Amino acid sequence: MLRSRIIPCLLVHKKGLVKTVKFKDPKYVGDPLNAVKIFNEKEVDELMVLDIDATVEGRGPDFELIKKLAIECRMPFCYGGGVTTVEQAKTIISLGAEKVALSSSAIKDRRLLRDIGVAVGVQSVVVVIDVKKTGGLFGKTFEVFIKNGKEKVDVKLSKLIQDLNEIGVGEIVINSIDRDGTMEGYDLELVDSIRNQTDFPITVLGGAGTFSDIKSLIDRYRIIGAAAGSLFVFKGKYRAVLISYPNRSEKKSILNLS
């Protein structure tokens, strides 16, 4: 049975973990393997690791890091960054990741997305969509960006979701550039626009600052993935680095479990 999941999202930059604010100013927060060890002890639902350098640098996935992470992980593990071929996706799954995430390559080449689904199973294919709210003559609109928010894609968000519905994917991660690292709460208007267009599992990323933000998201949409970065690696107004995750009692309350 499908259920809501609470998912730490870790960003890899220059071999280390970082956290950004609106996709800028990466702050070092630690070593990837050490973070995974701590999250293991906290009984995390699922872990998402995104290499934010790979596509920008024009290189493929870091298979050595993926192998080390997969060996260490005791929770389902999704990896994204630099995937541009079916063989790369197959290798990531063969190394022990449960899911492979695509963004730039999937948005630019829908056929690649379909081929990867055939090769590794549609349920293992995740599409990450980075979205920014922009102004225009007819009001605010949601626009799609790639390459760490540096390049706007000439495709409407609604058309992209329609295409994904036709192709078939395991999950859509909707990532708000405007809310990234702000810890001001999820962009529920953005989530509404996606939820109304697809029946695929959705994970929301960008803006969570408290466990209450996660609970509000789950209360509103019932079955959904609640992902966060800053919430799980920072503590206090000065953003001291401290890895955290809801304990069993807190998690029951967030998920409305008796």
Side-chain angles (χ1 to χ4, degrees):
M1 183 177 68
L2 289 176
R3 63 180 181 85
S4 291
R5 295 156 294 137
I6 303 173
I7 308 166
C9 179
L10 305 179
L11 305 180
V12 177
H13 172 61
K14 296 181 179 179
K15 304 292 185 179
L17 292 183
V18 300
K19 190 64 201 76
T20 56
V21 177
K22 298 185 178 181
F23 283 31
K24 298 177 181 178
D25 304 320
K27 177 181 178 180
Y28 178 77
V29 295
D31 175 76
L33 292 178
N34 286 340
V36 169
K37 291 175 182 178
I38 296 172
F39 280 127
N40 279 338
E41 298 303 318
K42 295 183 179 299
E43 300 179 344
V44 168
D45 289 336
E46 185 176 323
L47 188 66
M48 182 185 303
V49 179
L50 303 177
D51 182 339
I52 62 174
D53 293 337
T55 297
V56 173
E57 295 176 356
R59 63 168 172 80
D62 185 342
F63 294 127
E64 187 60 31
L65 175 61
I66 295 168
K67 181 178 180 180
K68 291 177 180 178
L69 291 172
I71 289 173
E72 195 64 51
C73 273
R74 296 204 299 266
M75 75 288 283
F77 163 47
C78 173
Y79 188 92
V83 180
T84 58
T85 70
V86 173
E87 288 305 315
Q88 289 171 339
K90 290 171 65 176
T91 300
I92 290 171
I93 298 300
S94 72
L95 290 173
E98 280 75 21
K99 300 177 182 178
V100 56
L102 299 93
S103 183
S104 298
S105 57
I107 291 169
K108 287 189 170 183
D109 184 359
R110 310 288 202 280
R111 184 172 59 182
L112 172 65
L113 194 59
R114 183 180 289 107
D115 291 345
I116 289 177
V118 171
V120 303
V122 171
Q123 75 283 351
S124 294
V125 179
V126 175
V127 176
V128 180
I129 307 176
D130 298 330
V131 180
K132 183 185 295 184
K133 189 180 292 184
T134 60
L137 294 175
F138 303 102
K140 297 289 186 178
T141 59
F142 294 115
E143 296 187 310
V144 179
F145 286 74
I146 59 174
K147 296 183 178 179
N148 297 341
K150 295 179 175 66
E151 181 180 322
K152 187 171 74 171
V153 180
D154 188 22
V155 61
K156 290 185 177 180
L157 179 58
S158 58
K159 178 61 166 63
L160 177 57
I161 298 299
Q162 180 183 336
D163 289 348
L164 296 180
N165 285 336
E166 293 174 358
I167 293 169
V169 296
E171 182 178 353
I172 296 172
V173 176
I174 189 72
N175 188 10
S176 171
I177 298 175
D178 301 303
R179 300 297 179 99
D180 173 58
T182 65
M183 303 183 75
E184 296 174 349
Y186 293 111
D187 187 338
L188 300 183
E189 182 184 358
L190 171 59
V191 183
D192 281 343
S193 70
I194 301 297
R195 182 72 284 174
N196 293 333
Q197 295 179 62
T198 184
D199 292 326
F200 289 136
I202 292 176
T203 289
V204 185
L205 178 61
T210 66
F211 292 163
S212 293
D213 289 334
I214 293 177
K215 180 171 175 55
S216 294
L217 183 78
I218 292 172
D219 286 347
R220 184 181 182 99
Y221 301 103
R222 311 310 302 169
I223 305 299
I224 199 162
S230 297
L231 175 61
F232 298 135
V233 298
F234 291 138
K235 181 176 178 63
K237 65 178 181 179
Y238 297 110
R239 296 196 172 203
V241 176
L242 179 67
I243 291 179
S244 64
Y245 189 79
N247 60 36
R248 290 185 179 182
S249 176
E250 292 167 330
K251 193 172 175 181
K252 280 187 175 182
S253 175
I254 291 169
L255 298 176
N256 299 309
L257 299 175
S258 57

